[in-house]
Amino acid sequence: MKKPAGFLVAAVFAVFSLPLAAQDAPDAGTVLARVGGTEITLGHAIALRAALPDQFQAVPNETLFPAIVEQLIEQELLNQNHADALTLRERITLENEARNFIANAALMGVAAEAATDESVQIAYDAFVAEFGQGEPTTEYNAAHILVRTEEEIQAVVTELESGREFADVAREFSLDGSSAAGGDLGWFGEGVMIEPFEQAVLALEPGEVSDPVETRFGWHVILLNETRAASVPTLEMVRDDLEAQIQREATRAHLEGLREAADIDNRSDAVDPTYLGRSDLLDE
């Protein structure tokens, strides 16, 4: 027996008039589709969307959502149909990819846990203490003019000898990105610049201009503005380096701990290394 139309309208109205808070919000486990007995969830869709190439990142979610769900459905159809038909090469490749993914996830987790604000501060304090115990170092503030050929650098020298300001000549002639700032390179320490350039800087007194210097980038003339004793870099200046050091040490310690606790039987010495190139062994 058909229900009265008025009852259906009232029921629909009652459902949609519920407060939003009473409705369950989707989560990663929300099922978007089923393929046989396999569920495709919102979590699967979110992960696939995040892994799309850069050119898709600006595409609205409203456009991507149905396409992503369809892609996941088709992938699962192919997975169910073909999983048992993988070749030896494909099975081994899949095992390697899964192993690599899990290993990277493990190391990223260890690294993230290790590089805390507290551990970075401890590393920075140790860095500052070591810095203070080292030999005093000098920093240099310089500007340069870079051109391609020896003829061009002679023209630059002529301009400077005529009394023109170094910055003005740099803006007119220099090919370097610093030309807009009059050739200004800011402050730098030893070991930062390539050797011919650095040696020329070290030979200058503040206010002096070098003779032409040739490097692999071209020909330079260099103005040494001033020098100063190197100061301890701030935490923010070295934070990235400290975090990377902490993460390297933490992941290495984690791996060493796993090795010590594991039963590893490495028998590779018994196999001729030339077999590593025998990809034909993967052909069934």
Side-chain angles (χ1 to χ4, degrees):
M1 185 178 78
K2 294 183 178 179
K3 294 183 179 180
F7 176 82
L8 292 175
V9 171
V12 171
F13 179 79
V15 170
F16 284 96
S17 62
L18 288 173
L20 290 176
Q23 301 178 29
D24 292 335
D27 59 22
T30 298
V31 176
L32 303 180
R34 288 186 176 86
V35 181
T38 301
E39 293 181 342
I40 294 172
T41 67
L42 178 58
H44 292 126
I46 292 171
L48 179 57
R49 196 254 188 274
L52 289 175
D54 290 343
Q55 62 263 36
F56 290 98
Q57 295 306 321
V59 179
N61 288 326
E62 292 78 6
T63 302
L64 284 176
F65 188 62
I68 285 177
V69 173
E70 282 302 311
Q71 180 172 336
L72 288 166
I73 289 172
E74 291 179 353
Q75 286 177 343
E76 183 56 33
L77 283 169
L78 292 166
N79 176 61
Q80 293 181 14
N81 178 261
H82 191 69
D84 294 336
L86 291 176
T87 65
L88 174 62
R89 184 187 299 273
E90 290 167 341
R91 291 198 304 273
I92 288 178
T93 299
L94 182 59
E95 290 171 5
N96 279 345
E97 289 179 352
R99 183 184 299 111
N100 180 65
F101 182 89
I102 294 170
N104 283 335
L107 291 179
M108 288 176 66
V110 170
E113 290 181 4
T116 63
D117 288 342
E118 181 181 3
S119 66
V120 170
Q121 184 63 55
I122 291 172
Y124 178 69
D125 292 342
F127 168 77
V128 171
E130 183 178 355
F131 189 96
Q133 294 174 0
E135 292 293 328
T137 58
T138 302
E139 292 181 330
Y140 304 87
N141 184 287
H144 80 142
I145 301 170
L146 171 66
V147 295
R148 295 285 184 227
T149 67
E150 190 172 3
E151 291 74 16
E152 289 173 314
I153 203 66
Q154 291 304 326
V156 167
V157 170
T158 300
E159 292 292 323
L160 294 173
E161 289 177 345
S162 72
R164 288 189 64 186
E165 290 292 329
F166 190 95
D168 291 340
V169 179
R171 292 187 184 96
E172 180 177 346
F173 288 90
S174 186
L175 302 174
D176 187 69
S178 65
S179 61
D184 184 21
L185 297 171
W187 289 97
F188 55 89
E190 292 186 33
V192 174
M193 300 300 182
I194 55 178
E195 186 172 354
F197 191 100
E198 179 175 286
Q199 292 304 314
V201 170
L202 296 178
L204 294 173
E205 294 294 330
E208 288 185 344
V209 176
S210 73
D211 293 330
V213 178
E214 185 180 16
T215 71
R216 66 175 182 268
F217 300 108
W219 287 86
H220 313 250
V221 286
I222 306 163
L223 166 65
L224 179 60
N225 293 314
E226 55 181 318
T227 64
R228 69 183 182 189
S231 58
V232 181
T234 66
L235 173 57
E236 291 310 310
M237 291 172 65
V238 295
R239 176 180 290 275
D240 289 346
D241 291 337
L242 293 177
E243 287 182 348
Q245 176 186 337
I246 291 168
Q247 291 170 349
R248 284 194 301 270
E249 293 173 353
T251 54
R252 176 47 53 192
H254 181 68
L255 278 169
E256 289 176 355
L258 293 177
R259 279 183 171 274
E260 291 175 1
D263 181 14
I264 301 174
D265 180 16
N266 188 341
R267 304 181 181 184
S268 60
D269 287 346
V271 178
D272 186 340
T274 60
Y275 273 84
L276 193 60
R278 290 286 304 279
S279 61
D280 60 290
L281 295 180
L282 299 181
D283 297 331
E284 294 180 314

Coordinates of all heavy atoms in Angstrom, one line a residue, residues 97-172:
E97 N 58.7 -1.8 -3.2 CA 58.1 -0.5 -3.0 C 57.4 -0.4 -1.7 O 57.4 0.7 -1.0 CB 57.1 -0.2 -4.2 CG 57.7 0.0 -5.5 CD 56.7 0.2 -6.6 OE1 55.5 0.0 -6.4 OE2 57.2 0.6 -7.7
A98 N 56.7 -1.5 -1.2 CA 56.1 -1.5 0.1 C 57.1 -1.3 1.2 O 56.9 -0.6 2.1 CB 55.2 -2.7 0.2
R99 N 58.2 -2.1 1.0 CA 59.3 -2.0 2.1 C 59.8 -0.6 2.1 O 60.1 -0.1 3.2 CB 60.4 -3.0 1.7 CG 61.5 -3.1 2.7 CD 62.6 -4.0 2.2 NE 62.1 -5.4 2.1 CZ 62.0 -6.0 0.9 NH1 62.4 -5.3 -0.2 NH2 61.6 -7.2 0.8
N100 N 60.1 0.0 1.0 CA 60.7 1.3 0.9 C 59.7 2.3 1.6 O 60.1 3.2 2.3 CB 61.0 1.7 -0.5 CG 61.5 3.1 -0.6 OD1 62.6 3.4 -0.1 ND2 60.8 4.0 -1.2
F101 N 58.4 2.2 1.3 CA 57.4 3.2 1.8 C 57.4 3.1 3.3 O 57.4 4.1 4.0 CB 56.0 2.9 1.2 CG 55.0 3.8 1.7 CD1 54.7 5.0 1.0 CD2 54.2 3.5 2.8 CE1 53.8 5.9 1.4 CE2 53.3 4.4 3.3 CZ 53.0 5.6 2.6
I102 N 57.3 1.8 3.8 CA 57.2 1.7 5.3 C 58.5 2.1 6.0 O 58.5 2.8 7.0 CB 56.9 0.2 5.6 CG1 55.5 -0.2 5.1 CG2 57.0 -0.1 7.1 CD1 55.2 -1.7 5.2
A103 N 59.6 1.8 5.4 CA 60.9 2.3 5.9 C 61.0 3.8 6.0 O 61.4 4.4 7.0 CB 62.1 1.7 5.1
N104 N 60.6 4.5 4.9 CA 60.6 5.9 4.9 C 59.7 6.5 5.9 O 60.0 7.5 6.6 CB 60.2 6.5 3.5 CG 61.4 6.4 2.5 OD1 62.5 6.3 2.9 ND2 61.1 6.3 1.3
A105 N 58.5 5.9 6.1 CA 57.5 6.4 7.1 C 58.1 6.2 8.5 O 57.9 7.1 9.3 CB 56.2 5.6 6.9
A106 N 58.8 5.1 8.7 CA 59.4 4.9 10.0 C 60.4 5.9 10.3 O 60.5 6.5 11.4 CB 60.0 3.5 10.1
L107 N 61.3 6.2 9.4 CA 62.4 7.2 9.6 C 61.9 8.6 9.7 O 62.4 9.4 10.5 CB 63.4 7.1 8.5 CG 64.3 5.8 8.4 CD1 65.2 5.8 7.2 CD2 65.0 5.6 9.7
M108 N 60.8 8.9 8.9 CA 60.3 10.3 9.1 C 59.6 10.4 10.4 O 59.7 11.5 11.0 CB 59.2 10.5 7.9 CG 59.8 10.6 6.6 SD 58.6 10.7 5.3 CE 57.8 12.3 5.7
G109 N 59.0 9.4 11.0 CA 58.4 9.5 12.3 C 59.5 9.7 13.4 O 59.3 10.5 14.2
V110 N 60.6 8.9 13.3 CA 61.7 9.1 14.2 C 62.3 10.5 14.1 O 62.6 11.1 15.1 CB 62.8 8.0 14.0 CG1 64.0 8.3 14.8 CG2 62.2 6.6 14.3
A111 N 62.5 10.9 12.9 CA 63.1 12.3 12.7 C 62.2 13.4 13.3 O 62.7 14.3 13.9 CB 63.3 12.5 11.2
A112 N 60.9 13.3 13.0 CA 60.0 14.3 13.5 C 59.9 14.3 15.0 O 59.9 15.4 15.6 CB 58.6 14.0 12.9
E113 N 60.0 13.2 15.7 CA 59.9 13.1 17.1 C 61.2 13.7 17.7 O 61.2 14.2 18.8 CB 59.7 11.7 17.6 CG 58.3 11.2 17.3 CD 58.1 9.8 17.8 OE1 59.0 9.2 18.4 OE2 57.0 9.2 17.6
A114 N 62.3 13.5 17.0 CA 63.6 13.9 17.6 C 63.9 15.4 17.5 O 64.4 15.9 18.5 CB 64.8 13.2 16.8
A115 N 63.4 16.0 16.5 CA 63.7 17.5 16.3 C 62.7 18.3 17.0 O 61.9 19.0 16.3 CB 63.8 17.8 14.8
T116 N 62.7 18.3 18.3 CA 61.8 19.2 19.1 C 62.4 20.5 19.4 O 63.6 20.7 19.2 CB 61.4 18.5 20.4 OG1 62.6 18.3 21.2 CG2 60.8 17.1 20.1
D117 N 61.6 21.4 19.8 CA 62.2 22.7 20.2 C 63.2 22.6 21.3 O 64.3 23.3 21.3 CB 61.1 23.7 20.7 CG 60.2 24.2 19.6 OD1 60.6 24.1 18.4 OD2 59.0 24.6 19.9
E118 N 63.0 21.6 22.2 CA 63.9 21.4 23.3 C 65.2 20.8 22.8 O 66.3 21.3 23.2 CB 63.3 20.5 24.3 CG 64.2 20.2 25.5 CD 63.6 19.2 26.5 OE1 62.5 18.7 26.3 OE2 64.3 18.9 27.6
S119 N 65.2 19.8 21.9 CA 66.4 19.2 21.4 C 67.2 20.2 20.5 O 68.4 20.2 20.5 CB 66.1 17.9 20.6 OG 65.4 18.2 19.4
V120 N 66.5 21.0 19.8 CA 67.2 22.0 18.9 C 67.9 23.1 19.8 O 69.0 23.5 19.5 CB 66.1 22.7 18.0 CG1 66.8 23.9 17.3 CG2 65.6 21.7 17.0
Q121 N 67.2 23.5 20.9 CA 67.8 24.4 21.8 C 69.1 23.8 22.5 O 70.1 24.5 22.6 CB 66.8 24.8 22.9 CG 67.3 25.9 23.8 CD 67.6 27.2 23.1 OE1 66.7 27.8 22.4 NE2 68.8 27.8 23.2
I122 N 69.0 22.6 22.9 CA 70.2 21.9 23.5 C 71.3 21.9 22.4 O 72.5 22.2 22.8 CB 69.8 20.5 23.9 CG1 68.9 20.6 25.1 CG2 71.1 19.7 24.3 CD1 68.3 19.2 25.5
A123 N 71.0 21.5 21.2 CA 72.0 21.5 20.1 C 72.6 22.9 19.9 O 73.8 23.0 19.6 CB 71.4 20.9 18.9
Y124 N 71.7 23.9 19.9 CA 72.2 25.2 19.7 C 73.2 25.7 20.8 O 74.2 26.3 20.6 CB 71.1 26.2 19.6 CG 71.5 27.6 19.3 CD1 72.1 28.0 18.2 CD2 71.3 28.6 20.4 CE1 72.5 29.4 18.0 CE2 71.7 29.9 20.2 CZ 72.3 30.3 19.0 OH 72.7 31.6 18.8
D125 N 72.8 25.4 22.1 CA 73.7 25.7 23.2 C 75.0 25.1 23.0 O 76.1 25.7 23.3 CB 73.0 25.3 24.5 CG 71.7 26.1 24.8 OD1 71.6 27.2 24.2 OD2 70.9 25.6 25.6
A126 N 75.1 23.8 22.6 CA 76.3 23.1 22.4 C 77.1 23.8 21.3 O 78.4 24.0 21.3 CB 76.1 21.7 22.1
F127 N 76.4 24.2 20.2 CA 77.0 24.9 19.1 C 77.7 26.2 19.5 O 78.8 26.6 19.1 CB 76.0 25.1 18.0 CG 76.4 26.1 16.9 CD1 77.3 25.6 15.9 CD2 76.0 27.4 16.9 CE1 77.7 26.5 14.9 CE2 76.4 28.2 15.9 CZ 77.2 27.8 14.9
V128 N 76.9 27.0 20.3 CA 77.4 28.3 20.8 C 78.7 28.1 21.7 O 79.7 28.8 21.5 CB 76.3 29.0 21.6 CG1 76.9 30.2 22.3 CG2 75.2 29.4 20.7
A129 N 78.7 27.0 22.5 CA 79.8 26.8 23.4 C 81.0 26.4 22.5 O 82.1 26.9 22.8 CB 79.5 25.7 24.4
E130 N 80.8 25.6 21.5 CA 81.9 25.2 20.7 C 82.4 26.4 19.8 O 83.6 26.5 19.6 CB 81.5 24.1 19.7 CG 82.6 23.5 18.8 CD 82.1 22.4 18.0 OE1 80.9 21.9 18.1 OE2 82.8 21.9 17.1
F131 N 81.5 27.2 19.4 CA 81.9 28.4 18.6 C 82.8 29.3 19.4 O 83.8 29.8 18.9 CB 80.6 29.2 18.2 CG 80.8 30.3 17.2 CD1 80.7 30.1 15.9 CD2 81.2 31.5 17.7 CE1 80.9 31.1 15.0 CE2 81.4 32.6 16.8 CZ 81.3 32.3 15.4
G132 N 82.5 29.5 20.7 CA 83.3 30.3 21.6 C 84.6 29.8 21.9 O 85.5 30.6 22.2
Q133 N 84.8 28.5 21.7 CA 86.1 27.9 22.0 C 87.0 27.9 20.8 O 88.2 27.6 20.9 CB 86.0 26.5 22.5 CG 85.3 26.4 23.9 CD 85.0 25.0 24.3 OE1 85.3 24.0 23.6 NE2 84.4 24.8 25.5
G134 N 86.5 28.2 19.6 CA 87.3 28.1 18.4 C 88.1 29.4 18.2 O 88.0 30.3 18.9
E135 N 88.9 29.3 17.1 CA 89.8 30.4 16.8 C 88.9 31.6 16.2 O 87.9 31.3 15.5 CB 90.8 30.0 15.7 CG 91.8 29.1 16.2 CD 92.8 29.7 17.2 OE1 93.0 31.0 17.1 OE2 93.2 29.0 18.1
P136 N 89.1 32.8 16.6 CA 88.3 33.9 16.0 C 88.4 33.9 14.5 O 89.4 33.7 13.9 CB 89.0 35.2 16.6 CG 89.8 34.7 17.8 CD 90.2 33.3 17.5
T137 N 87.3 34.2 13.9 CA 87.2 34.2 12.4 C 86.7 35.6 12.0 O 86.1 36.4 12.8 CB 86.3 33.1 11.9 OG1 84.9 33.3 12.5 CG2 86.8 31.8 12.2
T138 N 87.0 35.9 10.7 CA 86.6 37.2 10.2 C 85.5 37.0 9.1 O 85.5 36.1 8.4 CB 87.8 37.9 9.5 OG1 88.9 38.0 10.5 CG2 87.5 39.2 9.0
E139 N 84.6 38.0 9.1 CA 83.6 38.1 8.0 C 83.9 39.3 7.2 O 84.5 40.3 7.7 CB 82.2 38.2 8.6 CG 81.8 36.9 9.3 CD 80.4 37.0 9.9 OE1 79.9 38.1 10.2 OE2 79.7 36.0 10.0
Y140 N 83.5 39.2 5.9 CA 83.8 40.3 4.9 C 82.5 40.8 4.3 O 81.6 40.0 4.0 CB 84.7 39.7 3.9 CG 86.0 39.1 4.4 CD1 86.0 37.8 4.9 CD2 87.2 39.8 4.6 CE1 87.2 37.2 5.4 CE2 88.3 39.3 5.1 CZ 88.3 38.0 5.5 OH 89.4 37.4 6.1
N141 N 82.5 42.1 4.1 CA 81.4 42.7 3.4 C 82.0 43.3 2.1 O 82.9 44.2 2.2 CB 80.8 43.9 4.2 CG 79.6 44.5 3.6 OD1 79.7 45.2 2.6 ND2 78.4 44.2 4.1
A142 N 81.5 42.8 1.0 CA 82.1 43.2 -0.3 C 81.1 43.4 -1.3 O 79.9 43.0 -1.2 CB 83.1 42.1 -0.7
A143 N 81.5 44.0 -2.4 CA 80.7 44.2 -3.6 C 81.5 43.8 -4.8 O 82.8 43.8 -4.8 CB 80.2 45.6 -3.8
H144 N 80.9 43.4 -5.9 CA 81.7 43.0 -7.1 C 81.0 43.4 -8.4 O 79.7 43.7 -8.4 CB 82.0 41.5 -7.1 CG 80.9 40.6 -7.6 ND1 81.1 39.5 -8.3 CD2 79.6 40.7 -7.4 CE1 80.0 38.9 -8.6 NE2 79.0 39.6 -8.0
I145 N 81.7 43.4 -9.4 CA 81.2 43.6 -10.8 C 81.6 42.4 -11.6 O 82.8 42.1 -11.6 CB 81.7 44.9 -11.4 CG1 81.3 46.1 -10.6 CG2 81.2 45.1 -12.8 CD1 82.0 47.4 -11.0
L146 N 80.7 41.7 -12.2 CA 80.9 40.5 -13.0 C 80.6 40.8 -14.5 O 79.5 41.2 -14.8 CB 80.1 39.4 -12.5 CG 80.1 38.1 -13.3 CD1 81.5 37.5 -13.3 CD2 79.1 37.1 -12.8
V147 N 81.6 40.4 -15.4 CA 81.3 40.5 -16.8 C 81.9 39.2 -17.4 O 82.6 38.4 -16.8 CB 82.0 41.7 -17.5 CG1 81.3 43.0 -17.0 CG2 83.5 41.8 -17.2
R148 N 81.6 39.0 -18.7 CA 82.0 37.8 -19.4 C 83.5 37.7 -19.8 O 84.1 36.7 -19.7 CB 81.1 37.5 -20.6 CG 79.6 37.2 -20.2 CD 79.4 35.9 -19.6 NE 78.0 35.6 -19.3 CZ 77.6 35.1 -18.2 NH1 78.4 34.9 -17.2 NH2 76.3 34.9 -18.1
T149 N 83.9 38.8 -20.4 CA 85.2 38.8 -21.1 C 86.2 39.7 -20.5 O 85.9 40.6 -19.7 CB 85.0 39.2 -22.6 OG1 84.7 40.6 -22.6 CG2 84.0 38.3 -23.3
E150 N 87.5 39.5 -20.8 CA 88.6 40.3 -20.3 C 88.5 41.7 -20.9 O 88.8 42.7 -20.2 CB 89.9 39.7 -20.7 CG 91.1 40.3 -20.0 CD 92.4 39.5 -20.3 OE1 92.4 38.5 -21.0 OE2 93.5 39.9 -19.7
E151 N 88.0 41.8 -22.1 CA 87.8 43.2 -22.7 C 86.8 44.0 -21.9 O 87.0 45.2 -21.7 CB 87.4 43.0 -24.2 CG 88.5 42.5 -25.1 CD 88.7 41.0 -25.0 OE1 87.8 40.3 -24.4 OE2 89.7 40.5 -25.4
E152 N 85.7 43.3 -21.5 CA 84.7 44.0 -20.8 C 85.2 44.4 -19.4 O 84.8 45.5 -18.9 CB 83.4 43.1 -20.6 CG 82.7 42.9 -21.9 CD 81.6 41.8 -21.8 OE1 81.9 40.7 -21.2 OE2 80.5 42.1 -22.2
I153 N 86.0 43.6 -18.7 CA 86.4 43.9 -17.4 C 87.4 45.1 -17.5 O 87.5 46.0 -16.6 CB 87.1 42.7 -16.7 CG1 87.0 43.0 -15.2 CG2 88.5 42.5 -17.1 CD1 85.7 43.0 -14.6
Q154 N 88.2 45.2 -18.6 CA 89.1 46.4 -18.8 C 88.2 47.7 -18.9 O 88.6 48.7 -18.4 CB 90.0 46.2 -20.0 CG 91.0 45.1 -19.8 CD 91.9 45.3 -18.5 OE1 92.2 46.5 -18.2 NE2 92.3 44.2 -17.9
A155 N 87.1 47.5 -19.6 CA 86.2 48.7 -19.7 C 85.7 49.1 -18.4 O 85.6 50.3 -18.1 CB 85.1 48.4 -20.7
V156 N 85.4 48.1 -17.5 CA 84.9 48.4 -16.2 C 86.0 49.1 -15.4 O 85.8 50.1 -14.7 CB 84.5 47.1 -15.5 CG1 84.3 47.3 -13.9 CG2 83.2 46.6 -16.1
V157 N 87.2 48.6 -15.5 CA 88.4 49.2 -14.8 C 88.5 50.7 -15.2 O 88.8 51.6 -14.3 CB 89.7 48.4 -15.0 CG1 90.9 49.2 -14.5 CG2 89.6 47.0 -14.4
T158 N 88.4 50.9 -16.5 CA 88.6 52.3 -17.0 C 87.5 53.2 -16.4 O 87.8 54.3 -16.0 CB 88.4 52.3 -18.5 OG1 89.5 51.5 -19.1 CG2 88.5 53.7 -19.1
E159 N 86.3 52.7 -16.3 CA 85.2 53.5 -15.7 C 85.5 53.8 -14.2 O 85.3 54.9 -13.8 CB 83.9 52.7 -15.8 CG 83.3 52.6 -17.2 CD 82.9 53.9 -17.8 OE1 82.4 54.7 -17.1 OE2 83.1 54.1 -19.0
L160 N 86.0 52.8 -13.5 CA 86.3 53.0 -12.1 C 87.5 54.0 -11.9 O 87.5 54.9 -11.0 CB 86.6 51.7 -11.4 CG 85.5 50.7 -11.3 CD1 86.0 49.4 -10.7 CD2 84.4 51.2 -10.4
E161 N 88.5 53.9 -12.8 CA 89.6 54.8 -12.7 C 89.3 56.2 -13.0 O 90.0 57.1 -12.6 CB 90.8 54.3 -13.6 CG 91.4 53.0 -13.1 CD 92.5 52.4 -14.0 OE1 92.5 52.9 -15.2 OE2 93.3 51.6 -13.6
S162 N 88.2 56.4 -13.8 CA 87.8 57.7 -14.1 C 87.1 58.4 -13.0 O 86.8 59.6 -13.0 CB 86.8 57.7 -15.3 OG 85.6 57.1 -15.0
G163 N 86.8 57.7 -11.9 CA 86.2 58.3 -10.7 C 84.8 57.9 -10.5 O 84.2 58.4 -9.5
R164 N 84.2 57.1 -11.3 CA 82.8 56.7 -11.1 C 82.6 55.9 -9.9 O 83.4 55.1 -9.5 CB 82.2 56.0 -12.3 CG 82.0 56.8 -13.6 CD 81.3 56.1 -14.6 NE 79.9 55.7 -14.2 CZ 79.1 54.9 -14.9 NH1 79.5 54.4 -16.1 NH2 77.9 54.6 -14.5
E165 N 81.4 56.0 -9.2 CA 81.1 55.2 -8.1 C 81.0 53.7 -8.4 O 80.5 53.4 -9.5 CB 79.8 55.7 -7.4 CG 79.8 57.0 -6.8 CD 80.7 57.0 -5.5 OE1 80.8 56.0 -4.9 OE2 81.3 58.1 -5.2
F166 N 81.6 52.9 -7.6 CA 81.6 51.5 -7.8 C 80.1 51.0 -8.1 O 79.9 50.2 -9.0 CB 82.2 50.7 -6.6 CG 82.5 49.3 -6.9 CD1 83.8 48.9 -7.3 CD2 81.5 48.3 -6.7 CE1 84.0 47.5 -7.6 CE2 81.8 47.0 -6.9 CZ 83.0 46.6 -7.4
A167 N 79.2 51.4 -7.2 CA 77.8 50.9 -7.3 C 77.2 51.3 -8.7 O 76.5 50.5 -9.3 CB 77.0 51.5 -6.2
D168 N 77.5 52.5 -9.1 CA 76.9 52.9 -10.4 C 77.5 52.1 -11.6 O 76.7 51.7 -12.5 CB 77.3 54.4 -10.7 CG 76.5 55.3 -9.7 OD1 75.5 54.9 -9.2 OD2 77.0 56.5 -9.5
V169 N 78.8 51.8 -11.5 CA 79.4 51.0 -12.6 C 78.8 49.5 -12.5 O 78.5 48.9 -13.6 CB 80.9 50.9 -12.4 CG1 81.5 50.0 -13.5 CG2 81.5 52.3 -12.5
A170 N 78.6 49.0 -11.3 CA 78.0 47.7 -11.2 C 76.6 47.6 -11.8 O 76.3 46.7 -12.5 CB 78.0 47.3 -9.7
R171 N 75.8 48.6 -11.5 CA 74.5 48.6 -12.0 C 74.4 48.7 -13.6 O 73.6 48.1 -14.2 CB 73.7 49.8 -11.5 CG 73.4 49.8 -10.0 CD 72.5 50.9 -9.5 NE 72.3 50.9 -8.1 CZ 73.0 51.6 -7.2 NH1 73.9 52.5 -7.7 NH2 72.8 51.6 -5.9
E172 N 75.4 49.3 -14.1 CA 75.5 49.4 -15.6 C 76.1 48.2 -16.3 O 75.6 47.8 -17.3 CB 76.3 50.7 -16.0 CG 76.4 50.9 -17.5 CD 77.1 52.1 -17.9 OE1 77.4 53.0 -17.0 OE2 77.5 52.3 -19.1

